Amino acid sequence: MGKKITIYQIDNNETGPKTIEIGGSSLRAIYSPRSRLKELLNRTEYKNPGIYVLNSFPKENTFNERIYIGEADPLEERLKNHLSDDTKDFVECVAVFSSNPGELTKAHIKNMESKLYVSATTSKNCEIDNSNKPTLSTLSEADESLVDNFIQQIKLIFPLLGFRFLIPSTIITEDKELQNFQKFKLTRKGLSANLIINDQGYVVLKGSTASKEVFSSLGSYTALRNKLIETNVLIESNNHLIFNEDTIFSSPSAASCIVLGTSSSGPEEWKTETGIKLKDLN
């Protein structure tokens, strides 16, 4: 079932601050580049309790984002402190809160902060700036449900704002699930990799092998390969690398390039068990 998400541009600057609402929900968010945040903190929304995410340039080329996840009651005071803190070199910020006064308490936002931190860690898609793991507060069953519902909505809106840190790079696929998908295979250079296509993308299955050798033609995919090695998605095994988890790729070529360690055409390389190329399937 779809969701109506409204993004309102506060001014005429396409990179300027925005408000975000989800139809039928009290969840609200405000996006701001750092340069505009100080003036925005005068808005009444920042007097609410909520969570916030700071996005900075990564320290290494492995990731595209460096994320700090925090909570505050009110949001205004904590974000003012971050603006005056020389160690917080963030470039943009998203604050999330409820439009219903009193709906979110300190326990709610601490619980939400902790769960978002875990999601960001397990996504293996960003550097995380938090020096300590946030503490998970205890909630009633009803309040836990409220937080979990908000988190599902947060996962919908952040990618719309260019924040991809909650999008997982790996998934867990049960054996019984695999029966619902056509499997594609890549066998070359002594390597053997299996791939399925699902709603999340092109998934190279756990146990597939990849080349240890890397050629210059791998180009921009080198950073992706390094990320997979650094996060232990690709691990060493004898004369090759092995996928330690079911790994999501945005295209069949991205998957085949990582497997082979060189530039390749995924639609040409991935084949069905009967030898039909992915590109030749209707």
Side-chain angles (χ1 to χ4, degrees):
M1 186 176 180
K3 295 281 187 183
K4 178 184 178 182
I5 300 176
T6 302
I7 300 178
Y8 174 70
Q9 190 76 40
I10 294 176
D11 57 23
N12 290 324
N13 186 342
E14 66 274 10
T15 61
K18 305 167 179 62
T19 62
I20 303 93
E21 301 180 9
I22 294 184
S25 170
S26 59
L27 180 138
R28 299 290 185 271
I30 300 181
Y31 163 86
S32 176
R34 180 177 184 142
S35 60
R36 301 291 303 279
L37 183 57
K38 185 175 182 179
E39 65 184 83
L40 286 177
L41 291 179
N42 294 322
R43 293 174 65 105
T44 57
E45 293 98 322
Y46 288 98
K47 301 189 185 303
N48 289 304
I51 62 102
Y52 61 90
V53 176
L54 309 178
N55 190 11
S56 309
F57 290 115
K59 294 179 179 178
E60 299 181 8
N61 293 329
T62 305
F63 296 99
N64 295 320
E65 296 175 320
R66 178 158 54 93
I67 295 296
Y68 179 89
I69 300 169
E71 55 80 19
D73 181 12
L75 286 161
E76 176 187 16
E77 294 304 318
R78 185 69 56 79
L79 291 174
K80 279 182 179 178
N81 290 339
H82 286 319
L83 280 172
S84 61
D85 184 351
D86 292 338
T87 67
K88 287 289 186 292
D89 58 343
F90 66 98
V91 295
E92 53 189 352
C93 169
V94 175
V96 179
F97 49 90
S98 171
S99 62
N100 292 336
E103 183 174 35
L104 293 180
T105 65
K106 186 71 170 179
H108 287 117
I109 59 177
K110 286 187 69 65
N111 188 280
M112 197 181 307
E113 175 197 33
S114 176
K115 288 178 176 176
L116 286 174
Y117 175 88
V118 171
S119 291
T121 303
T122 56
S123 77
K124 301 184 178 182
N125 227 357
C126 65
E127 289 180 22
I128 298 178
D129 237 8
N130 296 62
S131 56
N132 297 305
K133 180 179 178 180
T135 304
L136 180 67
S137 59
T138 303
L139 297 174
S140 68
E141 185 176 3
D143 286 332
E144 189 111 30
S145 176
L146 170 67
V147 168
D148 290 346
N149 184 46
F150 266 35
I151 287 175
Q152 289 305 311
Q153 295 174 58
I154 286 170
K155 289 180 177 180
L156 291 178
I157 64 174
F158 269 83
L160 298 177
L161 299 170
F163 288 61
R164 301 182 61 82
F165 70 100
L166 294 174
I167 299 176
S169 56
T170 63
I171 58 173
I172 298 175
T173 311
E174 302 292 342
D175 289 342
K176 61 182 180 180
E177 291 182 68
L178 293 177
Q179 300 173 9
N180 300 323
F181 298 99
Q182 184 169 19
K183 189 180 290 184
F184 298 89
K185 202 166 187 69
L186 191 162
T187 52
R188 189 150 70 87
K189 296 182 177 181
L191 303 171
S192 178
N194 293 301
L195 175 137
I196 63 171
I197 304 171
N198 65 14
D199 291 342
Q200 291 169 289
Y202 299 85
V203 182
V204 175
L205 299 180
K206 180 179 179 179
S208 296
T209 54
S211 174
K212 266 188 179 180
E213 190 175 8
V214 177
F215 299 87
S216 59
S217 62
L218 187 61
S220 60
Y221 287 122
T222 302
L224 173 57
R225 182 182 186 275
N226 291 340
K227 182 187 82 168
L228 295 176
I229 292 173
E230 185 174 318
T231 55
N232 292 319
V233 174
L234 276 176
I235 58 175
E236 288 199 22
S237 177
N238 299 320
N239 297 322
H240 52 255
L241 300 174
I242 189 167
F243 282 85
N244 196 34
E245 301 179 61
D246 298 331
T247 306
I248 304 167
F249 292 92
S250 59
S251 71
S253 293
S256 63
C257 286
I258 297 302
V259 168
L260 296 172
T262 187
S263 177
S264 66
S265 170
E268 284 277 352
E269 296 285 356
W270 296 105
K271 299 175 184 178
T272 66
E273 293 180 353
T274 58
I276 302 173
K277 295 178 180 180
L278 177 57
K279 73 168 189 174
D280 293 330
L281 292 178
N282 294 326

